[in-house]
Amino acid sequence: MTAAMAAFAVEDSLIKGAAKTVPIGEVLILFGLGGVLVFACAALLNGESQYTSDVISRPMRIRVLFEITGRLFYGLAIALTPLSAATVILQATPIVVVASAAVVFGEKVGWRRWTAILIGLVGVVVIVQPGGDSFSALSILAVLGMIGFAGRDLASRAAPKTISTTLLGLYGFLAIVVAGGIYAVWRGEAFVVPDLRAMGFVVAASLTGAGAYACLMKAMRTGEVSAVTPFRYTRLIFGIALGVLVFGEALSLPMIIGSGLIVISGLFILLRGKAR
């Protein structure tokens, strides 16, 4: 899980670097195609069919829509806003998943966990600072991306068990291609020929992203969920470190306070769920 979070943080940095010279819609399309190629080859090597009827089941259709939403808005967030801020806001995803599971699946969530959920959401508000002098509408992109990823994770719980990790990765990256295409058409962006540096970033991001996804699925399917899930928060450390060291970003007091609230509430929710 820690390796997956480190790889995801590196993937974000590479996409942010490529987006400096290549339109973000094109970056997402190229990045998605790279991931599709990796997982398609993995499916062929495993002798798996790349299409089954379960792929178009209702939970999978919902999952793809949320995947497109999450990837599009989070991709825009890491390209247009500080990487450290986008990474911190993303850490609220498990909190939103727990709250949504109570509403959608009727899972029992006691008042203690509801209190922790509210504290975590307050942490997001502290970071975004709506109505404050430093508020930027672009920070909403990371919030929308986080909501998209939470919906994807929730839909994954209802996805048919017959769909392998490889196919989930394949169609997940295919959703990134669609997200990039939608944004490119909406913006009317003209595609450019990436220079070697930008293309290297995209290729490295695709390989890193595929590796991160494989590590994540390995952790979630072989380890105890309650034991490995807290290590998702190591992405916070890697994302902030890369933002500060590579992109020269500064940490503000609201970001430090907000990230603390998110992590503390998230860990409490996980520990409380394990105790129950």
Side-chain angles (χ1 to χ4, degrees):
M1 180 63 81
T2 303
M5 295 303 105
F8 277 130
V10 172
E11 170 202 299
D12 292 345
S13 300
L14 292 167
I15 290 176
K16 186 175 182 68
K20 290 183 178 297
T21 56
V22 179
I24 183 60
E26 182 178 350
V27 170
L28 290 175
I29 290 173
L30 293 174
F31 169 64
L33 288 174
V36 168
L37 181 62
V38 170
F39 281 104
C41 290
L44 289 174
L45 290 174
N46 293 333
E48 297 180 42
S49 172
Q50 297 180 22
Y51 175 81
T52 66
S53 59
D54 287 337
V55 167
I56 57 174
S57 62
R58 186 168 181 266
M60 282 297 293
R61 294 198 303 270
I62 295 174
R63 184 183 189 275
V64 167
L65 288 176
F66 276 115
E67 181 87 60
I68 291 172
T69 302
R71 286 292 187 172
L72 174 57
F73 287 108
Y74 187 66
L76 291 172
I78 60 178
L80 303 175
T81 67
L83 176 64
S84 52
T87 302
V88 170
I89 292 173
L90 186 66
Q91 302 315 300
T93 302
I95 298 172
V96 176
V97 168
V98 172
S100 301
V103 176
V104 177
F105 295 118
E107 293 188 5
K108 188 175 181 180
V109 177
W111 68 269
R112 294 180 181 83
R113 284 198 287 174
W114 274 120
T115 301
I117 288 169
L118 291 176
I119 292 173
L121 296 180
V122 167
V124 175
V125 173
V126 169
I127 296 169
V128 176
Q129 298 183 68
D133 294 335
S134 59
F135 171 72
S136 170
L138 292 176
S139 59
I140 300 299
L141 294 171
V143 176
L144 293 174
M146 178 266 293
I147 293 173
F149 285 137
R152 177 202 62 186
D153 291 350
L154 205 63
S156 297
R157 299 178 64 172
K161 302 299 182 183
T162 54
I163 299 178
S164 67
T165 298
T166 303
L167 285 184
L168 285 176
L170 174 64
Y171 286 97
F173 274 94
L174 191 59
I176 300 175
V177 177
V178 174
I182 291 173
Y183 184 72
V185 171
W186 179 69
R187 290 281 296 178
E189 293 178 338
F191 283 13
V192 301
V193 178
D195 56 29
L196 290 178
R197 178 185 175 86
M199 199 64 212
F201 282 161
V202 172
V203 171
S206 297
L207 294 174
T208 305
Y213 192 88
C215 287
L216 176 63
M217 290 299 101
K218 181 70 172 177
M220 295 301 291
R221 290 193 167 189
T222 58
E224 286 188 24
V225 174
S226 59
V228 300
T229 298
F231 287 90
R232 279 180 177 268
Y233 290 104
T234 57
R235 184 170 183 171
L236 190 80
I237 300 171
F238 298 120
I240 290 177
L242 288 170
V244 172
L245 298 177
V246 177
F247 298 103
E249 299 169 2
L251 292 180
S252 64
L253 182 60
M255 187 187 299
I256 295 173
I257 295 174
S259 61
L261 292 175
I262 291 171
V263 172
I264 291 172
S265 60
L267 291 176
F268 176 83
I269 289 169
L270 290 168
L271 292 173
R272 185 66 188 171
K274 184 178 181 180
R276 287 181 61 85

